[in-house]
Amino acid sequence: RRAGAAAAAFRAAVPPVYGRPVVLTVRAHPGASREKVAWDGDRLHLWVTAPAAEGQANHAVALAVARWLEVPPSRVRLRAGTRSRTKLVDVDGDPPLPGGYQTR
């Protein structure tokens, strides 16, 4: 077998290390003068300085979610909303949410 095929077979056979992802609804506010985070009970509002061009704001949103939850950025990924201000973000590992916020 080729090395790539063996690695793919290994990844398929090994379950993910993290548990079920937390799914957050995020409202992005790109092009802000400074970064800010606010939770309104239903969604996370993120003001990011990055412009809404070429995925820059999406990347900034993922980094801001990682900072807010104090998890590595590699555990945060955009599920839906790449071209919208309202986004669904997956966070692997069922992280504890600040302030006892509940997502389920």
Side-chain angles (χ1 to χ4, degrees):
R1 269 198 225 179
R2 295 180 319 167
F10 177 77
R11 283 192 301 273
V14 176
V17 174
Y18 304 116
R20 185 171 85 183
V22 169
V23 180
L24 295 173
T25 302
V26 175
R27 178 70 177 174
H29 303 271
S33 61
R34 70 185 92 151
E35 291 193 357
K36 178 181 165 185
V37 178
W39 176 263
D40 70 5
D42 286 330
R43 66 181 53 148
L44 182 65
H45 290 266
L46 292 173
W47 285 262
V48 293
T49 58
E54 299 177 8
Q56 293 176 46
N58 290 333
H59 182 69
V61 163
L63 290 176
V65 168
R67 278 193 306 272
W68 184 65
L69 292 174
E70 299 176 352
V71 298
S74 61
R75 290 177 50 187
V76 177
R77 70 187 169 276
L78 196 60
R79 175 188 282 201
T82 57
R83 301 190 67 155
S84 170
R85 289 181 186 238
T86 301
K87 303 172 184 307
L88 289 180
V89 177
D90 286 345
V91 183
D92 286 335
D94 203 11
L97 298 177
Y101 300 128
Q102 297 296 318
T103 59
R104 297 183 190 135

